[in-house]
Amino acid sequence: MAHWLLKSEPDSYGWDDLVRDGGTEWDGVRNHAAAKHLRAMAVGDDAIFYHSGKDKAAVGIARIARAAQADGDEGWVSVRVEPDRSLPRPVTLAAMKAAVGLQDMAMLRQSRLSVSPVTDGEWTALMRLAGE
DNA sequence: GCCAACGTTGGC
DNA sequence: GCCAACGTTGGC
């Protein structure tokens, strides 16, 4: 099972919104690298939900509830995402940068990427930081 | 408010 | 095909 990281600006659509809605269509992605990751997602994959902007912290774990389908007519895709659980302790960006084993995270190396892969090792390290 | 990174657009 | 200009994202 693969792991991912989804980034969102909490003022536009945050973790609380996802929990309230019980899930949402992760659409509107218009970046080829991010779209490639969306296409690689499978039902049941877990995704860290990260708040950019003021929070700058991973706050929850979401699950991919449906694989990629067309989002518009130009080859872009969207997936369905549902909330799984909140993290016992949010993991801040500063904590990720400081953590051994997370320095190479795709999200840290390319900060603008809104959808990125997380390796098994990174996932384990993140869960430890999150108090899971 | 500024700047770095990165993608897109358009002139040549 | 190159590159300057510009827009967007996101951290500081």
Side-chain angles (χ1 to χ4, degrees):
Chain A
M1 205 61 66
H3 302 298
W4 309 97
L5 184 145
L6 296 173
K7 188 157 49 180
S8 189
E9 174 69 48
D11 285 346
S12 59
Y13 195 86
W15 176 248
D16 290 345
D17 298 307
L18 187 68
V19 170
R20 180 200 63 215
D21 294 346
T24 196
E25 193 67 20
W26 209 256
D27 56 11
V29 172
R30 294 294 181 269
N31 171 286
H32 291 290
K36 180 180 141 216
H37 298 315
L38 288 182
R39 287 191 201 94
M41 289 179 179
V43 173
D45 282 358
D46 286 321
I48 294 277
F49 198 98
Y50 174 85
H51 279 166
S52 60
K54 284 191 173 179
D55 253 24
K56 289 191 276 296
V59 292
I61 297 173
R63 182 150 291 149
I64 306 307
R66 198 214 62 244
Q69 70 177 27
D71 176 19
D73 299 329
E74 292 170 47
W76 299 107
V77 294
S78 62
V79 298
R80 180 166 176 85
V81 174
E82 292 178 356
D84 182 39
R85 60 195 187 275
S86 298
L87 294 176
R89 278 199 309 264
V91 182
T92 65
L93 178 64
M96 289 185 217
K97 285 183 170 176
V100 174
L102 294 184
Q103 287 89 349
D104 288 338
M105 274 185 75
M107 177 219 166
L108 297 181
R109 299 178 77 92
Q110 195 178 342
S111 70
R112 288 185 56 197
L113 196 55
S114 63
V115 182
S116 59
V118 177
T119 68
D120 290 348
E122 289 161 355
W123 185 269
T124 301
L126 269 167
M127 291 304 107
R128 182 179 295 270
L129 289 172
E132 283 249 322

